[in-house]
Amino acid sequence: MGSWRAWLVAAGMVVMVTMLTSESVVEAQLQYGYYDQLGCRGVEDRVRTLVRRSYVTDVTASAAMLRLAFHDCQVGPGGCDGSIMIEGNGREMSSDGNFGVKRLDIINSVKSDMEQMCPNTVSCADIIALAGRDAVAFNGGPDIRIPLGRKDADTSSAAEADSKLPPATSTVDRVLSVFAPFGLTPQESVAMLGAHTLGVGHCKNIQDRLRFNSPTAPDSLMYRTQLRAACAVNVFDVAILTNDASQFTFDNQYYRDIQNGRGLFTVDNAISTDPRTAPIVSMFAANQGAFFAAFQSGYVKLTARALTGNQGTVRSTCQLN
Ligand code: HEM
């Protein structure tokens, strides 16, 4: 009994040290309670209230904000730096990789509110990262605590977005290489793709799936027939297809769907069959808690690459032309 107790105490200490170490690595740059320390209290609550209002009035908005957060963090001089909000020719938003990204106006209107509350203080980059995490909780996923203090970039490049935003046809090698620079483990990388439990895709991103002799099997033939029917009449690319069978709920349905050959994109099917990721897919399909835990730690890492301190600025307007 005594030796069990000693073992438990030792194991608990190892977990505590690991948690402290990983949290302080993030805290060296970003901080929990950052705006409180600057004397601007209630930022997180106010952002949550405002984005939730948009999520209630537009059921597609929360998925849009989660994707926006990934695309902002993936491209730009500082990672999560608000660079996606600088629009115009040759800028990130004009990249094909950002096709379908929308509702940037939500970030803009939260920013206007923040300027009333605490002028020149709250960055666009932080608002985007918060809107993404609030999208997860709003739809029933984990309530993720993220440190704040990101600064905004003043440049934005379509060429960089073209090369860094992974296409729907990405291989598992590409998936792992996208997330490795953020320090994500393979488990956390597979969990990030679980964001496709929300939202939709367009026919132009599943062209390779529509051919009956497509090499991207395994695939449910019935599902492929449904996709072909949905995309058969698709004027102006308005047809949309749900990413999983419960597009408005953040749950582990996505993993069960891809195991059954019902992943929307080639990349979704790829992670369900590759020997490096298939066991993780099986685990998340069976255990939603494991998916939530890996998504939570993965999201904190994904949003931790940022400009901080004297790097970057706090822009007064998020959406620039
Ligand atoms: C290798 C990684 C990834 C690839 C290849 C990928 C690809 C895509 C594609 C092609 C779409 C559909 C675009 C359209 O046709 O409208 C999409 C949608 C989406 N993605 Fe990803 N994605 C990846 C990772 C992520 C991550 C890390 C997140 C968030 C943490 C995310 C969140 C979303 C969401 C929420 C949607 C639906 C957006 C909406 O309904 O407006 N994706 N993704």
Side-chain angles (χ1 to χ4, degrees), residues 207-227:
Q207 287 305 307
D208 56 322
R209 307 284 318 284
L210 299 178
R211 294 186 298 272
F212 274 109
N213 62 352
S214 160
T216 60
D219 222 357
S220 145
L221 186 59
M222 187 190 283
Y223 183 58
R224 192 173 292 205
T225 308
Q226 287 167 0
L227 295 181

Side-chain angles (χ1 to χ4, degrees), residues 9 44 56 91 166 192 195 212 223 267:
V9 170
E44 296 197 38
V56 168
R91 306 272 170 68
M192 283 299 109
F212 274 109
Y223 183 58
V267 66

